[in-house]
């Protein structure tokens, strides 16, 4: 697996947190309850790379992606894009920066306006940012559709006339219409058939090479990110618990949660099915996370230290970072 094409950090987060109020608890309801969707994430994304972000549903992946784009405001912490703190930007400056950062949604069925034709869907960003008019705009729309593998016959059709894979191509064209540098891909293939997933991933790789894009590729399945990501971050209950090169994650997983995710990938050979690592019990609530390591109630390797002391995400000599007392960074 290749390294990022540029050593410069494009996106950086420092102790990023997002909490959502979910009600009250305690005696007479005097204690305010909050859900810790993202809990102290410090992360770098390098220009030109694809960083895979993997975790179960509810781990905070999508919330983190939206925080990076400042679609939602953090409870605390900082997000930097090209060294600029997004929280300090004026509304006008942030609007200009929005062109550089775009989102491709998970569901190609609900993310497109059913009352708009494809021409209008793709043109929307071009018009908002006043990038082109008249014939130039029309040619830009046609070029974008051609880039994602759709012909000019798609221009005057509605989203319901397309398959799921074709709708996702339209969503990608819409995101690319404003010439972004950074795309958050929020489970862009999870709603598609396996054969179509491969086509979309190949398309994303081709577009990245052609347009020099940087991706945050969010998924709940480690198998999906294997062939597109240079590095992979594993997220559990709002925290990054492991971060390493993709080949390191697959050949030498350290955190028990990463091992659980890898063992959940379907295996053809019967002997490999017996090696599956099964977690204990259910995922704890993010409203009331357990003390110490948040994974310890489900971890088959947990020891007393795990129940009392929260492990820090620590990188070894190879850059492989792990938050685990039992299996520290190599």
């Amino acid at each position: 697996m290749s390294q990022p094409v540029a050593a410069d950090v494009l996106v950086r987060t420092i102790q990023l947190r997002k909490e959502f109020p979910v009600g009250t608890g305690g005696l007479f309801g005097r204690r305010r309850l909050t859900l810790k969707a993202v809990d102290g994430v410090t992360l770098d994304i390098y220009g030109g790379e694809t960083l895979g972000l993997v975790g179960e549903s509810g781990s905070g992946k999508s919330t983190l992606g939206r925080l990076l784009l400042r679609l939602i405001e953090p409870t605390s912490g900082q997000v930097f894009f090209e060294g600029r703190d997004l929280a300090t930007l004026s509304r006008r400056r942030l609007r200009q920066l929005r062109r550089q950062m775009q989102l491709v949604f998970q569901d190609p069925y609900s993310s497109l306006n059913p009352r708009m034709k494809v021409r209008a869907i793709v043109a929307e960003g071009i018009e908002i940012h006043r990038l082109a008019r008249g014939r130039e705009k029309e040619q830009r729309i046609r070029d974008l559709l051609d880039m994602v593998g759709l012909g000019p016959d798609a221009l005057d059709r509605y989203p319901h006339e397309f398959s799921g894979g074709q709708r996702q191509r339209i969503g990608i064209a819409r995101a690319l219409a404003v010439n972004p540098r950074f795309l958050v891909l929020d489970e862009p293939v999870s709603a598609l058939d396996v054969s179509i997933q491969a086509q979309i991933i190949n398309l994303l790789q081709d577009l990245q090479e052609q347009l020099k894009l940087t991706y945050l590729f969010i998924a709940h399945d480690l198998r999906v990110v294997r062939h597109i990501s240079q590095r992979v971050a594993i997220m559990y209950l709002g925290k990054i618990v492991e971060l390493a090169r993709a080949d390191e994650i697959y050949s030498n997983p350290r955190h028990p949660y990463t091992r659980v995710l890898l063992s959940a990938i379907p295996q053809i050979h019967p002997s490999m099915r017996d090696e599956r690592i099964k977690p204990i019990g259910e995922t704890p609530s993010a409203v009331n996370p357990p003390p110490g390591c948040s994974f310890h109630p489900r971890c088959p390797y947990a020891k007393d230290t795990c129940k009392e002391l929260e492990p820090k995400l620590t990188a070894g000599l190879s850059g492989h970072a792990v938050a685990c007392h039992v299996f520290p960074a190599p």
Side-chain angles (χ1 to χ4, degrees):
M1 187 67 65
S2 61
Q3 295 295 318
V5 297
D8 296 330
V9 174
L10 182 66
V11 180
R12 168 170 288 167
T13 73
I14 299 176
Q15 288 297 308
L16 194 61
R17 287 182 168 83
K18 181 62 181 179
E19 298 179 357
F20 295 100
V22 293
T24 58
L27 187 63
F28 305 117
R30 293 175 179 173
R31 183 164 57 92
R32 189 171 68 93
L33 299 178
T34 58
L35 186 149
K36 297 179 179 179
V38 175
D39 191 8
V41 170
T42 296
L43 187 66
D44 287 343
I45 302 176
Y46 298 99
E49 80 165 331
T50 298
L51 175 65
L53 182 63
V54 182
E56 294 171 297
S57 296
S59 61
K61 309 182 303 298
S62 295
T63 302
L64 178 58
R66 282 159 173 74
L67 286 170
L68 297 186
L69 303 179
R70 204 181 160 185
L71 296 178
I72 55 177
E73 296 295 327
T75 302
S76 63
Q78 295 171 287
V79 180
F80 296 88
F81 185 86
E82 291 187 317
R84 289 168 287 183
D85 187 345
L86 298 189
T88 65
L89 298 180
S90 65
R91 181 176 297 181
R92 176 175 171 274
R93 194 68 194 91
L94 183 62
R95 178 188 174 92
Q96 293 173 346
L97 198 61
R98 290 242 183 258
R99 283 184 52 194
Q100 303 295 317
M101 309 178 295
Q102 291 292 306
L103 174 65
V104 175
F105 295 91
Q106 173 182 359
D107 187 358
Y109 297 92
S110 63
S111 62
L112 302 178
N113 190 330
R115 295 182 176 86
M116 294 174 65
K117 293 181 179 180
V118 170
R119 174 185 275 106
I121 290 173
V122 178
E124 195 169 18
I126 299 174
E127 293 168 353
I128 289 173
H129 292 279
R130 301 176 183 177
L131 301 180
R133 299 176 61 185
R135 292 183 180 178
E136 184 183 355
K137 181 181 73 173
E138 178 71 12
Q139 187 60 50
R140 173 65 176 159
I141 296 168
R142 289 172 178 267
D143 290 344
L144 285 163
L145 291 180
D146 181 65
M147 195 180 297
V148 300
L150 295 173
D153 60 314
L155 285 166
D156 294 310
R157 296 163 63 188
Y158 290 96
H160 73 267
E161 300 179 63
F162 296 90
S163 67
Q166 289 173 323
R167 293 186 203 192
Q168 197 58 288
R169 291 173 187 268
I170 296 168
I172 293 170
R174 175 179 60 184
L176 296 177
V178 293
N179 300 315
R181 295 183 58 198
F182 175 54
L183 291 183
V184 173
L185 306 166
D186 190 2
E187 304 216 34
V189 298
S190 64
L192 307 176
D193 293 337
V194 174
S195 60
I196 306 301
Q197 287 183 4
Q199 293 177 19
I200 297 299
I201 288 175
N202 289 337
L203 171 64
L204 289 169
Q205 288 178 309
D206 292 342
L207 291 171
Q208 183 176 42
E209 183 176 353
Q210 179 182 349
L211 302 175
K212 310 303 180 187
L213 299 170
T214 302
Y215 294 153
L216 176 68
F217 191 103
I218 298 172
H220 62 269
D221 186 348
L222 269 168
R223 176 185 51 182
V224 172
V225 303
R226 183 165 196 166
H227 301 293
I228 193 172
S229 303
Q230 283 76 48
R231 293 187 302 145
V232 176
I234 308 298
M235 196 167 186
Y236 184 77
L237 278 187
K239 299 177 185 291
I240 302 297
V241 297
E242 186 163 8
L243 173 64
R245 297 194 316 268
D247 56 347
E248 279 281 315
I249 288 287
Y250 289 94
S251 64
N252 184 29
R254 305 295 294 178
H255 199 279
Y257 179 59
T258 307
R259 299 183 181 194
V260 166
L261 292 178
L262 283 170
S263 68
I265 297 175
Q267 302 291 342
I268 297 176
H269 200 281
S271 64
M272 298 183 70
R273 296 176 195 163
D274 297 334
E275 299 175 3
R276 294 189 62 178
I277 302 171
K278 297 181 180 180
I280 303 166
E282 301 295 330
T283 305
S285 170
V287 176
N288 186 26
C293 174
S294 57
F295 189 62
H296 88 255
R298 306 179 67 198
C299 180
Y301 310 105
K303 54 186 182 180
D304 290 341
T305 307
C306 305
K307 303 174 184 178
E308 302 168 358
L309 184 63
E310 179 182 349
K312 302 300 181 184
L313 187 67
T314 305
L317 295 176
S318 66
H320 192 148
V322 188
C324 183
H325 296 303
V326 181
F327 303 105

